Amino acid sequence: MTAVLDRAPVLPIPAAAGAFPRDAAFDTVREARLDRHTAAPLADARAFAVACAWDWHLSESDRTTLVLVVDELVGNALKHAVWPTELQVLPLRLTRLGRQVVVEVRDFDLRLPRWPGSQVWDLSVIDGPAGPDDAELVRGHGLGIVSALADDLCALPEPGGKVVRASVPLRGVQ
């Protein structure tokens, strides 16, 4: 199942099963289970974020920020996390809490992400536009961008994996 928008209350599913327990009112929490073997799970995540943003009447600027944060966190989980063969679904949860939306992506890799500032980048070595050999010089800044856009960015270890969470402040008129 790809990018299913849960609207009705359901019983909690244990974290080991690959989903989040429900702990907030069902009209403020939206969950998707992204199948990583579909044609475009990242596009499904973006579409899910856009649908939630419209449903919550977010401003265009806030929608754009939310989609960018979702894109980066889901993209990192799809690209960098080690996946057990029996678990192929990536849980994504968006929670509207007043003037913020909390984005949570759960993966099944115990390794924590490298945080912004954990690596020094010397871009002065680039004489012109980055070429194919310089690809690594222009990568690795996504969490730095998320950190600049979100009020809070953290990774929380859990049994069998981790949750990466970012709180996106809502600044637009609602």
Side-chain angles (χ1 to χ4, degrees), residues 81-104:
V82 175
W83 287 84
T85 54
E86 70 276 6
L87 297 171
Q88 300 302 315
V89 175
L90 176 72
L92 165 63
R93 177 166 59 184
L94 304 180
T95 306
R96 171 78 188 266
L97 296 172
R99 304 275 306 152
Q100 68 178 347
V101 175
V102 178
V103 178
E104 295 174 295

Side-chain angles (χ1 to χ4, degrees), residues 60-124:
E60 182 178 352
S61 174
D62 289 338
R63 285 193 308 268
T64 301
T65 301
L66 179 63
V67 170
L68 189 138
V69 169
V70 166
D71 182 82
E72 181 61 28
L73 298 184
V74 170
N76 282 351
L78 291 170
K79 181 177 181 179
H80 300 295
V82 175
W83 287 84
T85 54
E86 70 276 6
L87 297 171
Q88 300 302 315
V89 175
L90 176 72
L92 165 63
R93 177 166 59 184
L94 304 180
T95 306
R96 171 78 188 266
L97 296 172
R99 304 275 306 152
Q100 68 178 347
V101 175
V102 178
V103 178
E104 295 174 295
V105 177
R106 185 178 202 292
D107 68 48
F108 307 97
D109 192 337
L110 298 173
R111 297 173 302 156
L112 296 177
R114 286 190 308 192
W115 296 110
S118 65
Q119 187 168 4
V120 176
W121 296 92
D122 181 8
L123 299 180
S124 65

Side-chain angles (χ1 to χ4, degrees), residues 18-37:
F20 299 99
R22 285 205 183 257
D23 57 3
F26 71 91
D27 61 339
T28 62
V29 177
R30 302 289 189 268
E31 293 182 2
R33 291 168 182 81
L34 304 165
D35 184 344
R36 56 187 291 261
H37 291 297

Side-chain angles (χ1 to χ4, degrees), residues 40-55:
L42 195 51
D44 292 339
R46 288 189 298 264
F48 171 73
V50 168
C52 292
W54 277 105
D55 190 37

Side-chain angles (χ1 to χ4, degrees), residues 134-153:
D134 298 325
E136 289 305 313
L137 290 174
V138 295
R139 289 190 182 140
H141 298 290
L143 286 178
I145 294 168
V146 170
S147 178
L149 294 172
D151 282 345
D152 185 31
L153 174 62

